[in-house]
Amino acid sequence: MKNIRVIIWGFGAMGQGMADMLFNKKGVEIVGVCDRNPSFVGKKVTDVLERTDIASNVVVQADIEELLEKGKADLCLLATDSFVKGAYPKIRMILEHRINCISTAEEMAYPKAGEPELSRKMDEIAKANGVTVLGTGINPGFIMDLLVVALSGTMKDVTHIKANRVNSLSPFGPAVMEEQGVGIGLETFLEKRAKNELAGHVGFKESVHMIADALGVELSGFEQQMEPILTTVDRKSPYGDAKKGTLAGIHMTGQGKVGGKVMIDMHHPQQIEPLMEGTHTGDYIEIKGTPEINMAITPEIDGGIGTIAMCVNMIPHVINAKPGLKTMIDLPVPRAILGDMRDLLE
Amino acid sequence: MKNIRVIIWGFGAMGQGMADMLFNKKGVEIVGVCDRNPSFVGKKVTDVLERTDIASNVVVQADIEELLEKGKADLCLLATDSFVKGAYPKIRMILEHRINCISTAEEMAYPKAGEPELSRKMDEIAKANGVTVLGTGINPGFIMDLLVVALSGTMKDVTHIKANRVNSLSPFGPAVMEEQGVGIGLETFLEKRAKNELAGHVGFKESVHMIADALGVELSGFEQQMEPILTTVDRKSPYGDAKKGTLAGIHMTGQGKVGGKVMIDMHHPQQIEPLMEGTHTGDYIEIKGTPEINMAITPEIDGGIGTIAMCVNMIPHVINAKPGLKTMIDLPVPRAILGDMRDLLE
């Protein structure tokens, strides 16, 4: 039986992490990598990753069309976008080459929440070409949605859900510091928020809709808010510098309402050096109903590694799935793959 | 579209709990209940459950053959056994009537761990009759296996797993007090253990094999032990009475070894009134690897309600599944069903 053949499209932190992880797995091989970053194009993937232990001749190339044509891959890991609108033309191209697709785009974790029309099209194209497309990641994709749904499976009824992901931004680089407003003053924050220039967390809408659909409740509304986390002490991380009085990060909150009342309550404060003001990081889920569930994962599951692992670990499930657009609630649970990945193929 | 039609076989605490839960759900109805207990036979199910709010004429009957013949049910919830050997003839009969089956038998959560030959047969019979059989429950079935597997899905690699379910036996009745040796002295415990007269926890073997197969590691061995929890104070629960120096319960431990070393380490102490000696109940999972995961659910998810809910909540997934013998790692995650159960059918 041949190895599972994978293309990676997008060779930033996520794409590189997936390549690095795949090189350590059995029964799977990277047959192509696409990125337009001139500092990567033409370089061997193993050289970019400084993996001297791996024999692979795959070179980063800029032309995806050529790669999809000649690649004869089973699946493409797409790590280029956060929003469905940006990912859609790429996903369509992948599916039309009869290649399965896993996307890291946050909105792809439950695309019909924000883009029902594009979701319908992706489902159609995937079915017409006999392949499957899935969006996943640590969050959305696991912590604040799939894990909530799975825990609810032990319950006779559910009346209220609170999910709270409290994480540290300290390990992240300059791009994240800027997206999350680390070090800016309150006035700048208010201006940027008004202009929609701060990314914050993308995914509450997707997580809330995934939970509501899984449990079979109809949402009467969805809202989200972005508030500054102002530090009362100077904080410093490798790439972040938040002087007393400025932003250490951003606190996103979101609510899914049923019958006008909040049923799904999301909290996601992200900041550098949270412990400096006594904030312990972790993933917390509280579900009211019968029985009640009170879960804590401390510290939080690492977001970068978690997203990389989720995408790679879902490869066999996506290949096995019926054709179409799938989400995490449609497929068997993810799992660390320590053996040969082909053993999971049906 | 017709309601999903369910038969319940076995009307003890689990069967009654499932009936009670099903009466609160939409899109599903109970079409038959079988039990040989003379105090139930001939009585209306609603009378046994004291549910005056429900209009149902279903009567508990002793003859399952008649029920399966005339029932035209979609699925049978089988709540009669703990071991595959005892459940097998009943499961075969259900499947041969072309009815899907969900079993509460602990060993059915991963039957090939202990009964590979019967598992092969069940798979064959289910396929030949175009139906599906699943074993599930809170544990085995969720806490110490499926949840471990799902959390590992966020990891690049896994080196060691520890699962620890610390629960209270206080809510349970006289049968459980006896099975778990509550109130007996050390000598009696040693005698009963030697004669295999204490049930303890059934399911470590199944949980360990489910995890190992999901992750793709080959077990080099499996062992389990049963030790007494001797109380240093008098403890009392509604049905339990453990004087100082006697057993407050039993601590089961189990190990799955890979390459001769313990990789999967299970702990399951069960006792009455654990707080009297400072034991806080909860479900704890620690996974070493990248990243590390440290999860706690406090208190533990209620075992009785949890098993009832898992069985009922898996009904649509089992009806949707491809024919054959399935386990929790083959199917989409369980979820609380708050809407119409038929909305989950494909």
Side-chain angles (χ1 to χ4, degrees):
Chain A
M1 191 181 185
K2 278 186 304 188
N3 281 335
I4 297 171
R5 297 151 306 163
V6 174
I7 289 169
I8 298 173
W9 186 352
F11 208 52
M14 292 298 102
Q16 289 182 38
M18 290 177 206
D20 195 51
M21 180 172 169
L22 284 167
F23 279 139
N24 295 338
K25 297 290 166 193
K26 291 183 280 287
V28 60
E29 64 183 294
I30 300 168
V31 296
V33 170
C34 174
D35 199 290
R36 282 180 305 193
N37 184 332
S39 59
F40 294 150
V41 174
K43 273 197 182 165
K44 280 176 71 176
V45 169
T46 47
D47 289 344
V48 176
L49 298 176
E50 300 177 2
R51 286 287 300 254
T52 54
D53 59 322
I54 298 293
S56 162
N57 289 317
V58 174
V59 165
V60 180
Q61 62 182 80
D63 185 351
I64 187 68
E65 189 78 44
E66 187 189 303
L67 201 53
L68 295 175
E69 289 294 354
K70 72 176 184 190
K72 294 178 183 165
D74 300 296
L75 186 140
C76 180
L77 294 165
L78 179 65
T80 52
D81 291 83
S82 283
F83 302 101
V84 173
K85 275 207 170 66
Y88 173 74
K90 304 183 184 86
I91 291 170
R92 191 182 58 201
M93 191 187 297
I94 294 164
L95 300 177
E96 285 175 349
H97 284 88
R98 299 183 172 271
I99 295 172
N100 296 288
C101 177
I102 296 177
S103 162
T104 61
E106 287 94 325
E107 284 190 352
M108 278 299 297
Y110 210 71
K112 78 175 190 183
E115 300 286 355
E117 186 52 28
L118 291 180
S119 299
R120 199 189 51 70
K121 282 189 187 169
M122 285 187 284
D123 189 48
E124 255 179 39
I125 299 166
K127 282 176 178 158
N129 289 281
V131 289
T132 304
V133 53
L134 171 77
T136 195
I138 194 76
N139 190 43
F142 190 82
I143 296 292
M144 297 181 90
D145 38 42
L146 186 72
L147 187 53
V148 170
V149 170
L151 289 170
S152 83
T154 67
M155 300 175 69
K156 285 165 70 172
D157 64 83
V158 170
T159 54
H160 187 268
I161 290 163
K162 183 176 174 185
N164 186 5
R165 178 161 163 85
V166 183
N167 66 325
S168 171
L169 295 175
S170 292
F172 291 91
V176 170
M177 296 303 122
E178 199 176 322
E179 282 168 20
Q180 304 289 337
V182 173
I184 65 176
L186 181 58
E187 272 183 49
T188 313
F189 166 79
L190 295 171
E191 263 173 48
K192 281 178 177 276
R193 184 176 66 178
K195 290 187 198 155
N196 222 356
E197 284 175 9
L198 291 165
H201 169 66
V202 178
F204 277 165
K205 192 174 189 177
E206 289 66 33
S207 294
V208 165
H209 279 81
M210 190 196 293
I211 294 170
D213 286 355
L215 271 54
V217 294
E218 205 175 326
L219 291 172
S220 62
F222 167 78
E223 286 164 28
Q224 63 178 359
Q225 304 80 31
M226 179 188 284
E227 296 297 335
I229 301 174
L230 295 167
T231 180
T232 62
V233 294
D234 291 350
R235 302 195 204 178
K236 227 172 168 356
S237 66
Y239 293 94
D241 190 354
K243 297 269 179 266
K244 182 178 165 178
T246 68
L247 267 74
I250 284 175
H251 188 163
M252 296 278 297
T253 45
Q255 303 84 35
K257 294 184 181 180
V258 175
K261 279 177 60 180
V262 175
M263 180 177 178
I264 306 170
D265 187 19
M266 312 294 255
H267 293 257
H268 191 10
Q270 306 194 78
Q271 60 199 290
I272 61 165
E273 301 298 295
L275 252 183
M276 284 189 69
E277 290 190 80
T279 299
H280 290 264
T281 61
D283 294 312
Y284 307 96
I285 296 171
E286 281 174 47
I287 316 183
K288 302 288 183 200
T290 313
E292 298 202 346
I293 293 181
N294 178 26
M295 189 219 73
I297 296 173
T298 49
E300 82 280 16
I301 299 183
D302 186 286
I305 303 174
T307 294
I308 289 163
M310 286 288 291
C311 291
V312 170
N313 289 333
M314 288 305 290
I315 291 173
H317 290 338
V318 169
I319 294 175
N320 285 337
K322 289 182 195 163
L325 169 65
K326 301 292 172 190
T327 74
M328 289 303 292
I329 53 174
D330 301 320
L331 302 179
V333 292
R335 62 208 62 174
I337 301 171
L338 306 184
D340 192 306
M341 200 178 272
R342 294 169 297 187
D343 293 344
L344 285 159
L345 296 184
E346 279 166 11
Chain B
M1 190 183 186
K2 281 187 302 189
N3 281 335
I4 297 172
R5 297 152 307 162
V6 175
I7 290 170
I8 298 174
W9 185 352
F11 208 52
M14 292 299 103
Q16 289 182 37
M18 290 178 208
D20 195 52
M21 180 171 169
L22 284 166
F23 280 139
N24 294 338
K25 297 292 165 192
K26 291 185 280 288
V28 61
E29 63 183 295
I30 300 169
V31 295
V33 170
C34 174
D35 198 291
R36 284 181 303 193
N37 184 332
S39 59
F40 294 150
V41 174
K43 272 197 183 166
K44 279 176 70 176
V45 170
T46 48
D47 289 344
V48 176
L49 298 176
E50 300 178 5
R51 286 288 299 255
T52 52
D53 59 322
I54 298 294
S56 162
N57 289 317
V58 175
V59 165
V60 181
Q61 62 182 82
D63 185 352
I64 187 68
E65 189 78 44
E66 185 189 303
L67 201 54
L68 294 175
E69 288 295 353
K70 73 178 186 191
K72 292 182 184 163
D74 300 297
L75 186 139
C76 179
L77 294 166
L78 179 65
T80 51
D81 291 84
S82 282
F83 301 99
V84 173
K85 275 206 171 68
Y88 173 74
K90 305 182 183 86
I91 291 171
R92 191 183 56 202
M93 191 187 295
I94 295 164
L95 300 177
E96 285 175 349
H97 285 88
R98 299 182 172 270
I99 295 172
N100 296 287
C101 177
I102 296 177
S103 163
T104 61
E106 287 95 325
E107 283 191 352
M108 278 299 297
Y110 210 71
K112 78 175 190 183
E115 301 285 355
E117 186 52 28
L118 291 180
S119 299
R120 199 188 52 69
K121 282 189 187 167
M122 285 187 283
D123 189 49
E124 255 179 40
I125 298 166
K127 283 177 176 157
N129 289 282
V131 288
T132 303
V133 52
L134 170 78
T136 195
I138 194 75
N139 190 45
F142 190 82
I143 295 292
M144 297 181 90
D145 38 43
L146 185 73
L147 187 53
V148 170
V149 170
L151 290 170
S152 83
T154 67
M155 300 175 69
K156 285 165 71 172
D157 63 84
V158 171
T159 54
H160 187 268
I161 290 163
K162 183 176 174 185
N164 186 6
R165 179 161 163 85
V166 183
N167 66 324
S168 171
L169 294 176
S170 292
F172 291 91
V176 170
M177 294 304 122
E178 199 177 321
E179 283 167 19
Q180 304 289 336
V182 173
I184 65 175
L186 181 59
E187 270 182 52
T188 313
F189 166 79
L190 294 172
E191 263 172 48
K192 281 178 178 275
R193 184 176 66 180
K195 290 187 199 153
N196 222 358
E197 284 175 7
L198 291 165
H201 170 65
V202 178
F204 276 165
K205 192 174 189 177
E206 288 66 33
S207 294
V208 164
H209 279 82
M210 190 196 294
I211 294 170
D213 285 355
L215 271 54
V217 294
E218 206 176 327
L219 291 173
S220 61
F222 168 77
E223 285 165 29
Q224 63 179 359
Q225 303 81 30
M226 180 189 282
E227 296 297 335
I229 301 174
L230 295 167
T231 180
T232 62
V233 294
D234 291 349
R235 302 195 204 179
K236 227 173 166 358
S237 66
Y239 293 94
D241 189 354
K243 296 268 180 268
K244 182 178 164 177
T246 68
L247 266 73
I250 284 175
H251 189 161
M252 295 278 298
T253 45
Q255 302 84 34
K257 293 184 179 180
V258 175
K261 279 177 62 180
V262 175
M263 181 177 179
I264 307 171
D265 187 20
M266 312 293 254
H267 293 257
H268 190 9
Q270 305 194 80
Q271 61 199 289
I272 60 165
E273 301 299 293
L275 251 183
M276 284 189 68
E277 289 189 80
T279 298
H280 289 264
T281 61
D283 294 312
Y284 307 96
I285 296 171
E286 282 174 46
I287 315 183
K288 301 290 181 199
T290 313
E292 299 202 344
I293 294 181
N294 177 26
M295 189 218 73
I297 297 174
T298 48
E300 83 280 15
I301 299 183
D302 186 287
I305 304 174
T307 293
I308 289 163
M310 287 288 292
C311 291
V312 170
N313 289 332
M314 289 305 290
I315 291 173
H317 290 338
V318 168
I319 294 175
N320 285 338
K322 290 181 194 163
L325 168 66
K326 301 292 171 189
T327 73
M328 290 303 291
I329 53 174
D330 300 321
L331 302 179
V333 292
R335 61 207 62 174
I337 301 170
L338 306 184
D340 192 305
M341 201 178 272
R342 295 169 296 188
D343 293 345
L344 286 159
L345 296 183
E346 278 167 8

